[in-house]
Amino acid sequence: DAGVTQSPTHLIKTRGQHVTLRCSPISGHKSVSWYQQVLGQGPQFIFQYYEKEERGRGNFPDRFSARQFPNYSSELNVNALLLGDSALYLCASSPHSNQPQHFGDGTRLSIL
Amino acid sequence: SQQGEEDPQALSIQEGENATMNCSYKTSINNLQWYRQNSGRGLVHLILIRSNEREKHSGRLRVTLDTSKKSSSLLITASRAADTASYFCATEGGSNYKLTFGKGTLLTVNP
């Protein structure tokens, strides 16, 4: 079975632009979560979606938004990019709570 | 904010030795999970221990959980150079699937 896939793998943007990151969960997993990992830190929770509804939101500004589609894939959108948004963005899927989350390889976003 | 705190921040050992990493957390949890990350890539799930469990094994891995002390430890026995990576503990609590990660332990296994 395919694991969690994320696209693109690398992305370079300039300040003020917007970006869309994509994630396909493992087949059968209805929950998708997004995390931001800044160099040298652990991942920070951004969003969680389950059955296309937002279940949780981390401490991120409104420039960050996400959605989940009927096939359970998900997009993370970030508007008005700042230098501090440079990070590895990770997507994870899980069938339900109290189960391991499976991570994709991430999208490396660099803001110039 | 980070809930877990791993200790030590960095650990360097020789191949064949055992490596022990500790994790402390602050709030009540449903489970605690350990992940490995190689060179800033995706995280690989290692082991999950639920709040009503005290010890769990998987291959060369042994995890303990002490909910009274809000702490966990990960033991890797007979380490190999391929075990070189960053190791994170993450807690899941409440009614959602959110994971709260620590800052990680960088393990270097020298051949």
Side-chain angles (χ1 to χ4, degrees):
Chain A
D1 283 344
V4 177
T5 57
Q6 291 186 244
S7 63
T9 54
H10 293 86
L11 202 51
I12 299 174
K13 293 285 189 177
T14 57
R15 283 177 295 176
Q17 287 188 311
H18 71 272
V19 68
T20 298
L21 310 181
R22 296 178 174 82
C23 171
S24 292
I26 291 172
S27 177
H29 287 191
K30 298 180 180 179
S31 171
V32 171
S33 298
W34 288 94
Y35 295 83
Q36 180 197 65
Q37 186 178 23
V38 174
L39 194 65
Q41 299 291 317
Q44 295 272 351
F45 172 76
I46 310 175
F47 284 110
Q48 179 210 84
Y49 277 78
Y50 182 77
E51 288 279 20
K52 293 161 284 183
E53 296 208 352
E54 182 182 302
R55 277 277 192 96
R57 171 187 283 257
N59 188 24
F60 281 81
D62 292 343
R63 298 185 297 107
F64 288 76
S65 63
R67 55 180 175 168
Q68 187 177 33
F69 298 99
N71 65 353
Y72 303 111
S73 67
S74 177
E75 283 183 355
L76 175 70
N77 295 285
V78 186
N79 295 323
L81 288 166
L82 303 173
L83 293 178
D85 296 332
S86 295
L88 180 67
Y89 288 84
L90 295 161
C91 173
S93 75
S94 176
H96 50 77
S97 64
N98 228 3
Q99 294 291 323
Q101 292 199 16
H102 300 267
F103 284 79
D105 281 340
T107 294
R108 174 75 60 188
L109 176 63
S110 299
I111 311 301
L112 303 179
Chain B
S1 62
Q2 313 269 175
Q3 148 130 283
E5 289 290 335
E6 287 92 341
D7 171 57
Q9 291 186 341
L11 181 61
S12 181
I13 60 175
Q14 296 299 122
E15 212 166 22
E17 294 180 339
N18 295 342
T20 299
M21 288 160 267
N22 302 297
C23 168
S24 60
Y25 58 92
K26 298 174 184 174
T27 62
S28 62
I29 61 172
N30 294 332
N31 64 65
L32 185 144
Q33 304 180 36
W34 285 90
Y35 288 83
R36 184 185 75 221
Q37 186 176 41
N38 291 84
S39 300
R41 300 299 292 171
L43 283 81
V44 174
H45 180 265
L46 297 176
I47 199 162
L48 179 153
I49 186 165
R50 293 186 170 80
S51 59
N52 60 353
E53 297 174 313
R54 292 297 167 257
E55 188 171 313
K56 212 162 180 181
H57 295 81
S58 176
R60 293 184 297 113
L61 306 180
R62 173 178 169 256
V63 168
T64 62
L65 179 65
D66 186 336
T67 53
S68 66
K69 295 181 179 179
K70 291 187 168 59
S71 66
S72 173
S73 68
L74 170 67
L75 169 67
I76 304 174
T77 60
S79 63
R80 306 165 182 168
D83 294 329
T84 295
S86 291
Y87 290 81
F88 294 92
C89 71
T91 56
E92 181 186 309
S95 59
N96 60 40
Y97 310 161
K98 165 186 171 181
L99 287 177
T100 305
F101 285 84
K103 294 183 179 180
T105 292
L106 176 60
L107 173 66
T108 302
V109 182
N110 301 298

